[in-house]
Each structure stands twice: as structure tokens, then as C-alpha cells.
């Protein structure tokens, strides 16, 4: 059994349950370059874990994987401290590549996987800071959540254009994100984002006509500006209904009209899987626009998590 419990490089495990009115961890562990820390929380049945990496970011070829189990009415909030920085692709090998579980992924692609199971009456609030890919970075992430009936989920996935202060906007090589949500074994959401820089001219020669038809010859900056931050939020379960109802009321009251210039912030809300969940998409000219909007729009979760916990979100 001890061998089965051994964590591979870059892997982590979190198991959270409740004991009376307190949330307790039966396991909280990780190996380099992944690190998990949990501060003291005063709210009933609420736990917070910060998912970090040594050095403040992920280097090319890093592969991190986190397994999460939540049960007995526990509410787990997963956060990060600052944006997840993905450094540029460089030649070489790293220790966390050795046990890579994604054989289809190129060796120099940085990968992150979160797999979580949430029991009835429990909840996962996956609310990390945004991903920031540096110039020439290549990053792939998967977030797969398995909910039982009566479980709740708020999943946030967002990306920035890069280090704008250094003139880097949408100049990374590749960003791939897959979010999957299952409810009682049935997939209710599968959302994929793929952002790729256009191929070099010599690579386009054989397929230039097809690429031009699809607009793939345009740079990411040309395709994505004027916005420098894009966010997706997936909601499901009984604990999100109040916030979703508020968002839906705001969305239904919006008036659509032509603008002389793009709005600083745009968003949309849609039901998924016959109302078993909702998906929200937002984009902003600056990351702070999106962060401020999310902080205000999701403030109803103060009643679920407690004010002190909510103040740790979107800082």
C-alpha cells in the first residue's frame, strides 16, 4: 500500500472532509515542482488550498497533476497566489517529465492536470488566478471534475495576453485548455480552448490556401485584440443557484446596441445540459477589468463561503 501512495514528481493529492463544523484534510501532499498550502479558515466546513509552484511558475516540460477528493459536505476552495506563469519553451529535460502521463503531448509542452471528485452535499470552488504564458511558451491543461448528485462546482479558467509591460501580447506558441464536468457519470460540459500562433512561412507552404480560408495565417494578437483577458466559468449544483439567478437577471436586462468602439468588458451566460449547469464567458481590455467584474458578479458566494474567505478571491 505504501508504494501505491507514493507520489510521482510533480504530483499532488488533496482529500478533504468535514468533522463537525470543521473542514479537515485526510491528505494534503505534493512533490516538486508542485506545492500545496492551506491557511486557517474560520468559516464552517470551508477549506482553502493554495496550489503553487516553486520559482513562481512552470518551466517548459513541467508536468503537474493534482488529484482532489471532497466529501461529507466540505467546501474546498482552490486558489493560486498570483497568475500561473508559463515560461518560454527551451531545449532540455526536467525531472517532472519522467512520469508524464500524456504520451500524445510533446516533451517540451508544459502540462497541468486537475482531477477532482465531489461527493453529494460537497462543493469545489476552483478559482485560480489567470494563466500568463510568456513569449514562445507552450502550455496544455486539463481540468476534469466528477460530481455526484447534490454536489456543487464553480470552475474558473482564464488566460491573459502575456506580459504587456514588456510588450508581449499574444506571442506565446500554444495554449490548450480542456474542462470536463461529469454529473453522476454523465458529461454535462466539455469546453476546449485552443490558441496557436500561426506556423512559420515554410511550414505554411503546403497548406497556405486552406490556412488562409480559415484565417489561421493571422497572428493571435490580430485575432484576439482589443481584449487581453478571456475567462470561462462553469457553474453546477445547488450552492450556485443564487449567484446564477442574479447573473441571469443581469444578462436578460442587457440591451444590445451598436458601439462606436469595443466595450471594455463583454460577457454572456448560457445554460448547458438542459439546465444542469451554466457557462459564463467574459473578455476584457485589461485583466483587471475581468478580475473586478468577477469579484462583484460572484459576490453572492460570500453567503456560501463566508466573507473572510471571499476576500481572498480575485485579489
Amino acid at each position: 500500500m505504501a508504494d501505491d501512495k507514493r507520489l510521482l514528481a510533480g504530483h499532488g493529492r488533496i482529500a478533504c472532509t468535514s468533522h463537525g463544523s470543521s473542514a479537515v484534510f485526510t491528505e494534503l501532499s505534493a512533490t516538486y515542482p508542485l506545492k500545496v498550502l492551506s491557511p486557517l479558515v474560520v468559516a464552517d466546513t470551508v477549506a482553502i488550498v493554495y496550489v503553487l509552484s516553486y520559482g513562481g511558475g512552470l518551466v517548459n516540460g513541467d508536468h503537474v497533476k493534482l488529484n482532489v477528493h471532497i466529501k461529507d459536505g466540505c467546501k474546498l476552495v482552490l486558489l493560486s497566489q498570483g497568475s500561473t506563469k508559463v515560461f518560454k519553451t527551451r531545449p532540455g529535460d526536467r525531472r517532472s517529465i519522467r512520469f508524464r502521463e500524456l504520451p500524445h503531448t510533446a516533451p517540451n509542452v508544459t502540462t497541468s492536470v486537475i482531477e477532482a471528485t465531489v461527493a453529494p452535499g460537497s462543493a469545489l470552488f476552483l478559482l485560480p488566478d489567470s494563466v500568463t504564458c510568456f513569449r514562445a511558451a507552450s502550455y496544455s491543461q486539463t481540468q476534469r471534475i466528477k460530481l455526484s448528485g447534490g454536489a456543487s462546482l464553480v470552475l474558473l479558467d482564464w488566460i491573459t495576453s502575456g506580459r504587456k509591460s514588456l510588450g508581449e501580447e499574444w506571442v506565446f506558441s500554444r495554449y490548450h485548455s480542456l474542462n470536463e464536468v461529469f454529473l453522476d457519470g454523465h458529461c454535462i460540459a466539455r469546453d476546449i480552448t485552443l490558441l496557436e500562433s500561426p506556423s512559420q512561412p515554410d511550414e505554411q507552404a503546403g497548406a497556405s490556401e486552406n490556412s488562409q480560408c480559415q484565417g489561421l495565417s493571422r497572428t493571435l494578437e490580430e485575432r484576439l485584440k482589443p481584449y487581453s483577458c478571456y475567462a470561462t466559468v462553469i457553474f453546477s449544483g445547488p450552492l450556485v443557484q443564487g449567484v446564477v439567478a442574479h447573473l441571469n437577471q443581469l444578462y436578460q436586462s442587457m440591451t444590445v446596441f451598436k458601439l462606436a468602439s469595443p466595450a471594455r468588458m463583454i460577457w454572456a451566460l448560457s445554460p448547458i445540459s438542459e439546465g444542469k449547469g451554466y457557462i459564463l464567458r467574459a473578455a476584457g481590455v485589461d485583466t483587471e477589468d475581468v478580475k473586478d467584474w468577477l469579484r462583484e458578479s460572484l459576490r453572492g458566494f460570500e453567503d456560501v463561503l463566508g466573507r473572510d474567505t471571499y476576500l481572498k478571491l480575485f485579489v
Side-chain angles (χ1 to χ4, degrees):
M1 180 65 71
D3 289 339
D4 293 338
K5 285 286 187 179
R6 183 176 66 91
L7 284 174
L8 302 178
H11 284 213
R13 282 195 291 260
I14 300 173
C16 183
T17 185
S18 59
H19 181 72
S21 62
S22 301
V24 296
F25 294 100
T26 56
E27 184 166 12
L28 183 65
S29 56
T31 58
Y32 180 88
L34 190 64
K35 180 164 56 174
V36 290
L37 300 174
S38 179
L40 180 65
V41 180
V42 296
D44 290 348
T45 66
V46 175
I48 298 175
V49 173
Y50 287 94
V51 182
L52 314 171
S53 59
Y54 287 88
L58 297 172
V59 179
N60 73 290
D62 274 346
H63 172 55
V64 297
K65 181 177 182 180
L66 183 63
N67 286 291
V68 182
H69 302 278
I70 312 167
K71 61 181 183 179
D72 296 332
C74 182
K75 304 183 221 28
L76 177 62
V77 183
L78 289 184
L79 304 175
S80 59
Q81 287 186 325
S83 65
T84 299
K85 300 174 181 63
V86 183
F87 295 101
K88 68 180 296 183
T89 299
R90 299 179 186 273
D93 195 3
R94 287 175 61 78
R95 182 169 178 260
S96 60
I97 302 177
R98 300 177 190 173
F99 304 104
R100 179 180 297 278
E101 295 185 359
L102 301 175
H104 60 280
T105 305
N108 284 338
V109 174
T110 302
T111 63
S112 173
V113 177
I114 295 179
E115 293 187 346
T117 59
V118 189
S122 305
L124 172 61
F125 294 82
L126 181 51
L127 299 170
D129 286 294
S130 55
V131 173
T132 298
C133 293
F134 289 13
R135 181 184 297 275
S138 187
Y139 180 66
S140 178
Q141 73 171 15
T142 298
Q143 299 180 132
R144 184 173 295 113
I145 315 299
K146 298 178 181 178
L147 304 173
S148 297
S152 299
L153 170 70
V154 181
L155 182 158
L156 170 62
D157 176 18
W158 51 331
I159 182 173
T160 73
S161 59
R163 298 181 293 180
K164 293 180 66 175
S165 62
L166 299 181
E168 293 184 7
E169 290 193 76
W170 305 117
V171 291
F172 51 82
S173 295
R174 187 176 190 270
Y175 172 84
H176 176 267
S177 177
L178 168 63
N179 297 300
E180 289 184 317
V181 180
F182 296 84
L183 178 60
D184 287 331
H186 301 284
C187 183
I188 63 170
R190 178 177 288 117
D191 184 74
I192 300 174
T193 300
L194 175 60
L195 302 175
E196 280 187 304
S197 294
S199 303
Q200 297 301 317
D202 58 335
E203 296 174 340
Q204 291 181 343
S208 58
E209 182 178 348
N210 183 53
S211 295
Q212 289 171 4
C213 288
Q214 299 180 30
L216 298 182
S217 60
R218 295 194 302 158
T219 66
L220 284 175
E221 183 176 8
E222 290 171 333
R223 284 180 267 164
L224 298 172
K225 289 192 82 171
Y227 301 111
S228 62
C229 181
Y230 288 81
T232 297
V233 188
I234 298 176
F235 304 92
S236 184
L239 293 183
V240 309
Q241 296 306 311
V243 170
V244 168
H246 171 67
L247 289 170
N248 193 50
Q249 183 179 16
L250 290 177
Y251 187 59
Q252 296 301 325
S253 65
M254 288 172 58
T255 302
V256 179
F257 53 92
K258 188 174 182 178
L259 298 174
S261 60
R264 288 194 61 86
M265 177 76 199
I266 57 174
W267 66 282
L269 179 71
S270 304
I272 53 177
S273 297
E274 300 177 341
K276 294 183 176 67
Y278 283 80
I279 186 166
L280 181 150
R281 301 189 190 278
V285 171
D286 290 321
T287 303
E288 291 301 316
D289 293 328
V290 179
K291 181 186 293 186
D292 292 345
W293 186 89
L294 287 171
R295 183 191 302 114
E296 292 304 316
S297 299
L298 304 185
R299 191 169 293 278
F301 286 126
E302 278 190 5
D303 298 333
V304 178
L305 301 173
R307 177 172 172 77
D308 289 343
T309 298
Y310 193 80
L311 289 176
K312 295 179 171 61
L313 279 55
F314 311 115
V315 296

